[in-house]
Amino acid sequence: MPLEDWIAQLPKVELHLHLEGSMGPQTLIELGRRNRADPTELARWAADLERRNFRFGNFQAFVEAYKFVAGLLDSPADYALAGKRLVETLAAENVRYAEVTLSAGMVLWKKQSLEAAFEAAAQAAADAGAKLGVHVNWIFDAIRHFGVEPAREVLRMAARYRERGVVAFGIGGDERRGPADLFVDLYREARDRGLHTTAHAGETMGPESVRAAVELLGAERIGHGLRAAEDRAVLALVRDRGVPLEVCLSSNVATGAIAEASDHPLPAILREGVRVTLNSDDPGLFGTSLEREFRLAARTFDFSREQLAGFVENAIAAAFLAEREKSELRMGLESAA
Ligand SMILES: [Zn+2]
């Protein structure tokens, strides 16, 4: 079987995927039409993104684009559309399980009802998932540079929705303006409330940010973490603590963290024995998908099928799921790999 077909049929797991950033041009244009944004303007914006090959040049430009697309989500029906479309895409790519991040901090910042937004998205995703065989759980993300108080509200809501599939609390955004030490108490509280924890780190800042996320926050997984590779001691720390890195190749190129996928320190990270998962992050904004990320990784680093299946295995192990569900996913993977 050709490699591309093999990757396509592989039952996959995605752990780092934002609802807002998952929306492709078609969904954005549809939302724009609903919300009386200018569809021509939106189509031009999408075409421009494509012309630039989905590269934003720097993190700030990406944040602006993210705010723009998140701004198009206006009503609960919009969130429902985003949730449904996301699950349809996952199913088409043979993603059997996903932990989807909702930028809860952004919903609150927009002064929208987080209850209404989440319930609509979660219901639509669950309905589509039941039909298509995709299981989705949720991560509520606070925006670290907005500070502690809004993050506290995100945590409160995450805990409230544990029964509705919210499995973890995390932080994303500007690492410099929202340092980890601000969130130590919140992470402790998250654990006390039975939530798992993640943190974006080592994306816009160096290895010290990854160290802080692990040592101060006790984050169970690190989003990106690529700059941990600048300090072998930090790589050893994440390896020894068993903290997996959620690697997102196209994302790092798109936000300017690296110039090309081949510049990603993935081989060095793997050589140190760190567990890695492959993810698409904001596939709509980056013109990618999990399947494409697997193909890109295979092409760039010449990974074997065994290594590629290993990334899925790592994602199953790192998922915030009960052991019974993990073994079901493992069985599916074994029969396809
Ligand atoms: Zn992310």
Side-chain angles (χ1 to χ4, degrees):
M1 195 190 297
L3 182 64
E4 298 215 341
D5 297 344
W6 181 83
I7 289 172
Q9 61 82 47
L10 200 66
K12 291 172 282 295
V13 168
E14 166 112 271
L15 302 180
H16 192 125
L17 169 62
H18 297 263
L19 178 72
E20 296 84 349
S22 73
M23 297 186 291
Q26 263 186 334
T27 306
L28 295 179
I29 289 167
E30 201 173 323
L31 285 180
R33 204 169 283 136
R34 282 184 184 188
N35 298 330
R36 276 171 279 160
D38 181 350
T40 332
E41 190 78 5
L42 260 171
R44 198 177 302 134
W45 183 86
D48 182 51
L49 198 58
E50 204 166 339
R51 191 173 44 75
R52 286 183 289 127
N53 200 17
F54 302 96
R55 291 180 189 212
F56 295 90
N58 59 64
F59 194 73
Q60 197 47 43
F62 158 68
V63 168
E64 290 309 317
Y66 193 87
K67 273 206 296 217
F68 172 71
V69 299
L72 292 169
L73 290 163
D74 202 29
S75 65
D78 297 344
Y79 283 92
L81 179 70
K84 174 171 173 275
R85 287 280 158 81
L86 173 55
V87 169
E88 287 168 353
T89 313
L90 293 173
E93 301 207 314
N94 245 320
V95 176
R96 310 285 28 134
Y97 174 70
E99 283 167 14
V100 178
T101 296
L102 174 68
S103 282
M106 184 76 85
V107 179
L108 294 172
W109 178 74
K110 288 190 289 179
K111 307 244 184 290
Q112 294 172 339
S113 157
L114 182 52
E115 290 95 329
F118 172 66
E119 285 176 19
Q123 192 59 54
D127 290 347
K131 242 182 265 161
L132 300 167
V134 182
H135 180 195
V136 167
N137 276 327
W138 295 86
I139 298 170
F140 274 15
D141 229 24
I143 295 168
R144 47 197 302 168
H145 55 269
F146 286 0
V148 180
E149 282 320 308
R152 193 183 304 283
E153 179 60 9
V154 170
L155 170 59
R156 196 180 69 80
M157 297 293 281
R160 179 174 155 192
Y161 280 112
R162 271 188 61 206
E163 300 301 314
R164 295 282 303 266
V166 177
V167 290
F169 167 78
I171 51 175
D174 190 334
E175 295 167 58
R176 211 170 302 274
R177 288 188 290 147
D181 53 345
L182 295 178
F183 302 96
V184 172
D185 290 343
L186 280 193
Y187 271 72
R188 189 179 305 122
E189 199 183 324
R191 274 190 295 280
D192 289 346
R193 290 178 170 229
L195 288 162
H196 291 283
T197 56
T198 65
H200 287 69
E203 178 186 19
T204 57
M205 266 182 80
E208 66 281 5
S209 176
V210 177
R211 179 184 287 284
V214 173
E215 286 186 339
L216 297 180
L217 303 181
E220 293 168 70
R221 296 198 311 243
I222 299 294
H224 302 287
L226 70 155
R227 291 191 59 192
E230 292 168 22
D231 185 343
R232 274 190 81 178
V234 174
L235 282 183
L237 173 76
V238 295
R239 178 197 60 217
D240 295 344
R241 297 262 181 114
V243 175
L245 302 186
E246 301 157 357
V247 166
C248 314
L249 294 172
S250 294
S251 165
N252 295 150
V253 175
T255 63
I258 48 177
E260 299 298 335
S262 55
D263 295 328
H264 196 288
L266 182 50
I269 292 170
L270 293 171
R271 263 198 308 277
E272 285 301 315
V274 174
R275 262 200 299 159
V276 164
T277 67
L278 294 184
N279 305 274
S280 66
D281 200 4
D282 298 299
L285 276 174
F286 303 146
T288 190
S289 67
L290 189 59
E291 206 177 298
R292 284 195 204 186
E293 292 304 297
F294 269 78
R295 277 193 249 144
L296 176 63
R299 199 167 60 232
T300 309
F301 301 108
D302 208 21
F303 289 131
S304 66
R305 292 182 192 203
E306 199 183 337
Q307 283 171 302
L308 294 169
F311 292 125
V312 183
E313 232 172 81
N314 289 348
I316 296 171
F320 300 140
L321 264 183
E323 208 39 60
R324 184 178 44 79
E325 282 177 272
K326 289 190 182 195
S327 49
E328 267 171 40
L329 289 169
R330 265 186 211 111
M331 268 161 28
L333 176 64
E334 273 161 28
S335 59

